[in-house]
Amino acid sequence: GHWRGIHTEANSMNFDIDQLDETSETSYRVVVGRNPDVDGAPGEDAGFLIVGPNSTQFQDVEREISVLNLLQAEKRKRALDLGNAEDARLFVDGNADRRELLVKRCTIGWFGLKQNGQDADFTPANLDRVLKSRPAWVKRIAGEIETLSNFDKG
């Protein structure tokens, strides 16, 4: 479907309650572009394969982010004052760091990304490189994960 301008495709899910454990790892395609046409045929989509809130990856990173929030609050020994420029910067930077962590942990693959004319290997180092060169993709993927989370809450 299309949510907030981001094209996603969910793998089908079996809603039989006896099989819900088997479908907790549903993955989604987030298309960010398309490769050039080849011999008149449309180019291959390019994008990322992500998991949502029912995945162990999401559950683990959500817990890790909560722990980071608690540790940073304890280290400051005070609440952030968002009327203060320095505190506002800490808040914004912290949110960006957490968004990047969420995206890196919940991105489990990609499609259509190339290196030297071949499919690029999906590795943590390559993912870091791609996301660093296209920061807008981090926001798009994070937005999609957030949408999935809100959808799952009903």
Side-chain angles (χ1 to χ4, degrees), residues 106-128:
C106 290
T107 301
I108 61 168
W110 59 33
F111 51 92
L113 275 77
K114 306 291 183 187
Q115 188 171 25
N116 299 321
Q118 303 296 318
D119 289 336
D121 289 335
F122 180 78
T123 65
N126 280 344
L127 180 61
D128 283 347

Side-chain angles (χ1 to χ4, degrees), residues 57-131:
Q57 293 93 329
F58 181 92
Q59 302 288 324
D60 291 347
V61 74
E62 190 175 55
R63 182 176 187 278
E64 187 175 344
I65 287 170
S66 295
V67 169
L68 282 173
N69 289 340
L70 289 171
L71 291 173
Q72 288 179 348
E74 180 61 25
K75 188 176 177 183
R76 276 192 316 271
K77 300 282 188 198
R78 63 179 178 78
L80 288 176
D81 173 8
L82 298 182
N84 171 299
E86 182 58 31
D87 281 4
R89 276 190 281 281
L90 285 172
F91 179 79
V92 169
D93 291 346
N95 281 347
D97 290 346
R98 286 162 184 73
R99 178 175 51 230
E100 188 172 320
L101 183 62
L102 176 73
V103 166
K104 287 179 179 178
R105 298 288 172 78
C106 290
T107 301
I108 61 168
W110 59 33
F111 51 92
L113 275 77
K114 306 291 183 187
Q115 188 171 25
N116 299 321
Q118 303 296 318
D119 289 336
D121 289 335
F122 180 78
T123 65
N126 280 344
L127 180 61
D128 283 347
R129 180 177 165 199
V130 167
L131 295 178

